[in-house]
Structure formats: structure tokens, C-alpha cells
Amino acid sequence: TGNRKKELSWQHLFSFTAPHIKPYLPGKDLLYADSKMFRFNGGYTYLTIKFFWHARSPQTSYGRLRSSGAIRFYLADKKSVTLYNNQESNWVLNKETRVYEMQALFLLHPRQIKLLRNEPVLKAVVYWERGFEEYPIYPITTFMDQLGCLE
């Protein structure tokens, strides 16, 4: 098609394990997420987030991330950026690793890019099918770094 794409490598976004579950998952997190960005010529920039679940039945606990399902990022300047999933995302068991995986895709608007490029992200709220949860982001400059690499 002639469309050139610049794609970055996966970077850690967040991890979460409730304190009462930690003894059952030594050295692992119950849920963790990696992210990467890519940009097509013409300016379309996307964020992909891959979620990993180290237990049974994420569909029962969280459900899927629906098409237009939201994730909200809270920035250090007290502003927030809400992104909407471009497609329905379901949990799939990776038979080799025995870990459930789900991938979500978000198109970034130029105003969202400007906010994410200029401010560290402190936390994310994922609006799952069965509710929502808040996760602290480490490292907080992940999106700033990724967007800088796409320039």
C-alpha cells in the first residue's frame, strides 16, 4: 500500500497483584501490561497494550475489553487522557506459557498525543467488562519516551 510504519518495541506499563494473592504467585504478578506505540505515514498514531494474566479465568474476574472500552490515564499535571479500544479484545490462553493474554488497540488523537508527550503518566484506570480497576504506572515517562522516539 505504500504506507510506511514506524513501530517501537514493547515496554513495561504496569503490574498488579493484590497483597493477599502475592504468596500464591512467588516472583510473578497476577496482572501485568506492556505497551508499544506505532505511527503510520500520514500521522496516525496507535497505542497497543498487551495484558497478561497469571491465573485461571480472567474472563470471569475482569471480562473482556469491549470495542470502545476505555482506559483513562491520569497525568502528573492532574489532567487525564481517555482512550477507547478500536476492537473487541478477549483473553486467550497462550498454550506455551500457560498465561492468558489480551491485546487492545487505541488510536491517539493529536491533542492526546500532545498531553502524553508533555506529562508523565501516574496511573491508569481500565474499564473492564465487569468493572474497573486503577493501576499505578511505572515507569511514569513511558509514553513520553515512546512518543519522542516516533518523532
Side-chain angles (χ1 to χ4, degrees), residues 21 46 88 93:
I21 296 174
Y46 290 88
E88 181 150 321
L93 179 62

Side-chain angles (χ1 to χ4, degrees), residues 27-106:
K28 297 180 186 173
D29 285 298
L30 177 64
L31 175 71
Y32 70 94
D34 290 341
S35 70
K36 69 176 176 178
M37 291 190 182
F38 59 93
R39 177 177 287 160
F40 288 99
N41 279 358
Y44 292 104
T45 303
Y46 290 88
L47 169 66
T48 302
I49 300 176
K50 187 178 263 192
F51 299 95
F52 301 90
W53 176 265
H54 280 105
R56 292 183 299 215
S57 307
Q59 199 71 22
T60 303
S61 300
Y62 289 123
R64 62 186 176 244
L65 193 58
R66 295 179 185 249
S67 176
S68 297
I71 184 167
R72 179 170 290 144
F73 295 102
Y74 289 90
L75 310 178
D77 66 358
K78 306 283 190 236
K79 293 181 181 173
S80 66
V81 173
T82 303
L83 305 177
Y84 298 95
N85 193 14
N86 283 18
Q87 61 202 17
E88 181 150 321
S89 302
N90 292 294
W91 293 101
V92 176
L93 179 62
N94 181 320
K95 289 183 174 31
E96 290 180 28
T97 62
R98 307 299 301 161
V99 173
Y100 284 91
E101 300 176 0
M102 177 194 308
Q103 190 164 309
L105 180 68
F106 306 91

